[in-house]
Amino acid sequence: MRIADARVIVTCPGRNFVTLKITTDDGLTGIGDATLNGRELAVASYLSDHVVPLLLGRDAQRIEDTWQYLYRGAYWRRGPVTMTAIAAVDTALWDIKGKQAGLPVHQLLGGRSRDAVTVYGHANGEDVDNVLTEVGRYLGLGYRAVRVQCGIPGIETTYGVGKDRFFYEPADAALPSESVWSSERYLDHMPTVFRRVRDEFGPVPKLLHDVHHRLTPIEAARLGASLEPFALTWMEDPVPAELQEGFRLIRRHTTTPIAVGEVFNTIWDCDLLIREQLIDYVRATVVHAGGITHLRRIFDLAALHHVRSGSHGATDLSPVCMAAALQLDISIPNFGLQEYMHHTDETDAVFPHTYRFEDGYLHPGDEPGLGVEIDEELAAEYPYAPAYLPTNRLEDGTVHSW
Ligand code: CS2
Ligand code: MG
């Protein structure tokens, strides 16, 4: 079974998505997400100009060999653009293999390790009262785990606190907007937020919080310690993670669990974090970490060191990524949590899928392959529109950590 065609489809049903579609000489098709928020066309070009010519005529059944060929063969290893492109090829080939076998991909990965995938939703509010309303709404929808983000008094806009309550889109402008940050105001406010959430909703709901890489290790240690009474499931991305050793300092000072990794693209980004048990959840995901093949490698390493999965699932990852992530989530032994933000109806129409939300869980479905397709005619109605994530400055104008 040879690869006869491979095409990149760029569409913007409310936000930009890049998808690779591979067709084999016997007519099977597979798709892979290739969306890199704010840098979409770089991956589209990497695929069309440099990867598609290498795929034509290759054996579509050789997933591992193709992964190694694209990773090693480029000479220039790693990086988000390269690894997102490799992820798209890998995901599409798993989709094809599932369709060829007549099995959902999780059956090829060893079958189910659980009945369903526990997900967390996002409760955002400009102030604590709004946050409480939103947490209540998510719990009312059946969610068992809720991420809590709150505006900070004295700061105009806070990244991660969406303006729209249900549909969250941080890439909000054709050129990057800018917001101002104060670690002092933030560190002062967060314990109040979580005290009120626990007072209102009690000890059972899993509560999470995303720091979006804003702190230094010692500040993160202080935040973790101050949130200990509220028993968070995780504190996410407390510091930028290029310096993996930096997490030793956080770990020495707090028992608040740590989740990191939505920007990781290979196992090398979290190798020390995992081996030294400096984190509790690794948030790498299919589209940005080399596809199902490489992400499973990361999760297998994590499993040996008491680290569980907590895959990124923001709306800038397409339903193709979500479908693939669920195939892994349901099969690996060390699943932790899956982030789940609702895509808009326009996006769901472009990417019809079998996964469904029920009672706080996602169910991947039992369709052969990934259980997701792309409606190309509909996709063509939504041309690419430039959109960037905001940048961040301290109150004195210094560009801040991201
Ligand atoms: C966030 C994301 O979901 C998350 O945890 O950190 O909103 C992230 O900022 C975006 O996916 C970036 O593209
Ligand atoms: Mg995050």
Side-chain angles (χ1 to χ4, degrees):
M1 187 170 60
R2 300 273 154 193
I3 295 176
D5 185 44
R7 273 179 318 112
V8 177
I9 302 158
V10 180
T11 181
C12 185
R15 69 140 17 262
N16 293 311
F17 294 111
V18 180
T19 309
L20 179 72
K21 182 168 185 175
I22 294 180
T23 307
T24 65
D25 54 5
D26 51 7
L28 286 178
T29 61
I31 54 177
D33 186 15
T35 310
L36 186 60
N37 203 1
R39 297 293 185 271
E40 294 88 355
L41 299 184
V43 185
S45 160
Y46 190 106
L47 281 167
S48 306
D49 296 328
H50 303 294
V51 173
V52 167
L54 315 184
L55 294 179
L56 301 177
R58 286 184 71 82
D59 183 349
Q61 298 185 87
R62 294 175 65 158
I63 299 178
E64 181 70 44
D65 181 67
T66 301
W67 196 97
Q68 300 295 340
Y69 178 76
L70 294 175
Y71 182 80
R72 295 169 195 242
Y75 189 79
W76 314 105
R77 296 184 183 190
R78 308 165 63 187
V81 174
T82 299
M83 298 310 293
T84 301
I86 293 177
V89 176
D90 183 81
T91 308
L93 293 181
W94 276 104
D95 194 19
I96 287 170
K97 195 174 281 298
K99 288 175 181 171
Q100 187 195 12
L103 292 170
V105 167
H106 63 262
Q107 291 295 356
L108 307 178
L109 298 171
R112 289 173 185 247
S113 287
R114 57 197 52 76
D115 300 328
V117 172
T118 310
V119 298
Y120 71 90
H122 285 207
N124 305 311
E126 298 85 50
D127 56 31
V128 188
D129 288 337
N130 282 311
V131 165
L132 295 179
T133 307
E134 287 303 298
V135 174
R137 180 150 79 118
Y138 275 89
L139 296 177
L141 289 168
Y143 283 81
R144 290 139 205 276
V146 183
R147 185 184 98 161
V148 174
Q149 305 297 128
C150 186
I152 311 299
I155 299 185
E156 205 178 319
T157 54
T158 311
Y159 185 80
V161 179
K163 291 190 188 69
D164 190 308
R165 284 279 174 267
F166 213 54
F167 299 106
Y168 163 79
E169 180 46 73
D172 59 358
L175 288 173
S177 58
E178 293 193 0
S179 55
V180 172
W181 176 255
S182 159
S183 294
E184 294 77 9
R185 294 176 197 269
Y186 169 74
L187 289 168
D188 182 59
H189 190 52
M190 287 323 293
T192 311
V193 176
F194 278 96
R195 182 175 308 112
R196 290 204 41 205
V197 175
R198 278 291 181 220
D199 283 352
E200 181 94 7
F201 299 103
V204 174
K206 293 181 198 295
L207 300 180
L208 298 74
H209 176 64
D210 193 344
V211 187
H212 288 110
H213 326 263
R214 293 284 194 260
L215 301 177
T216 63
I218 198 68
E219 289 168 344
R222 179 177 144 205
L223 177 67
S226 70
L227 296 180
E228 277 171 25
F230 316 114
L232 268 60
T233 295
W234 78 45
M235 165 173 84
E236 174 178 333
D237 288 336
V239 300
E242 286 99 327
L243 182 69
Q244 295 183 44
E245 291 86 344
F247 284 74
R248 291 180 184 143
L249 194 150
I250 308 175
R251 209 53 160 173
R252 272 204 295 278
H253 293 285
T254 180
T255 58
T256 295
I258 299 171
V260 180
E262 65 186 44
V263 301
F264 292 170
N265 48 74
T266 70
I267 202 165
W268 305 108
D269 297 326
C270 46
D271 160 54
L272 186 132
L273 290 175
I274 290 172
R275 283 190 294 104
E276 290 195 13
Q277 301 175 49
L278 299 177
I279 60 173
D280 301 279
Y281 296 87
V282 59
R283 280 181 47 74
T285 193
V286 173
V287 58
H288 299 138
I292 290 174
T293 297
H294 193 66
L295 189 59
R296 191 174 55 168
R297 203 148 279 152
I298 294 175
F299 289 158
D300 280 346
L301 178 68
L304 303 180
H305 297 87
H306 300 290
V307 177
R308 289 188 276 172
S309 74
S311 283
H312 189 202
T315 37
D316 50 290
L317 320 182
S318 89
V320 183
C321 177
M322 180 56 75
L326 292 172
Q327 302 291 340
L328 264 176
D329 291 338
I330 200 110
S331 64
I332 57 173
N334 55 329
F335 169 76
L337 272 179
Q338 170 67 53
E339 182 178 16
Y340 174 53
M341 293 164 72
H342 294 258
H343 286 111
T344 59
D345 290 344
E346 289 79 6
T347 296
D348 282 341
V350 170
F351 299 99
H353 50 261
T354 57
Y355 65 79
R356 63 187 167 82
F357 175 84
E358 201 183 298
D359 200 23
Y361 299 107
L362 276 175
H363 298 262
D366 283 308
E367 282 294 303
L370 298 174
V372 62
E373 292 297 336
I374 183 165
D375 180 334
E376 290 192 61
E377 264 178 45
L378 199 53
E381 288 178 19
Y382 300 108
Y384 168 78
Y388 288 92
L389 292 166
T391 58
N392 197 240
R393 292 183 188 273
L394 297 178
E395 288 165 298
D396 71 357
T398 307
V399 172
H400 189 47
S401 206
W402 182 230

